[in-house]
Amino acid sequence: MSVDWLTLPDVADRLGVPITRVRQMVRDRKLLAVRSDGVLRVPVEFVQDGEIVKGLPGLLTVLADAGFTDEESMEWLFREDPTLPGTPARALAENRGREVKRRAQALAF
């Protein structure tokens, strides 16, 4: 999984919000972060044009409802899917969230 990462302070800068707000977004599953070397990190793909990528919060809820952990959700989002094509994270960034959400909902069944 080749991903470029942002630290939470970097995310706060890009979103123009305090870091406490970013931490709350992670707690509320509006944004997904994983710990690496003791530091919480967010994929660059999740923040575009000063906003969280459209559809990400809802998709994270669907994945959680399907029983995915944060780590499993991150892995799924960045796994190549030839039917998309590309990764679900890339499809979200390209405003193809409906396709991604359908695939995530199918995982629950």
Side-chain angles (χ1 to χ4, degrees):
M1 176 167 77
S2 176
V3 179
D4 291 326
W5 299 96
L6 298 169
T7 62
L8 295 191
D10 293 334
V11 173
D13 286 345
R14 289 185 181 210
L15 295 177
V17 299
I19 190 161
T20 53
R21 179 74 183 110
V22 174
R23 290 183 193 285
Q24 187 65 45
M25 289 176 187
V26 171
R27 277 193 300 274
D28 293 344
R29 297 193 59 81
K30 305 252 184 270
L31 192 58
L32 185 59
V34 292
R35 196 166 294 279
S36 173
D37 298 324
V39 177
L40 277 175
R41 299 180 194 277
V42 173
V44 169
E45 288 87 349
F46 291 175
V47 181
Q48 282 186 341
D49 303 321
E51 296 182 1
I52 295 173
V53 147
K54 181 181 174 186
L56 180 64
L59 179 61
L60 294 176
T61 299
V62 169
L63 291 171
D65 289 350
F68 278 56
T69 66
D70 287 351
E71 291 77 14
E72 290 168 335
S73 294
M74 191 71 76
E75 183 182 317
W76 183 82
L77 280 160
F78 287 95
R79 186 180 310 135
E80 287 291 324
D81 183 341
T83 65
L84 279 172
T87 65
R90 174 67 17 224
L92 269 182
E94 293 171 353
N95 203 21
R96 294 186 289 138
R98 189 174 273 152
E99 295 173 50
V100 175
K101 196 169 188 180
R102 265 198 302 267
R103 282 170 175 75
Q105 288 169 331
L107 295 172
F109 298 105

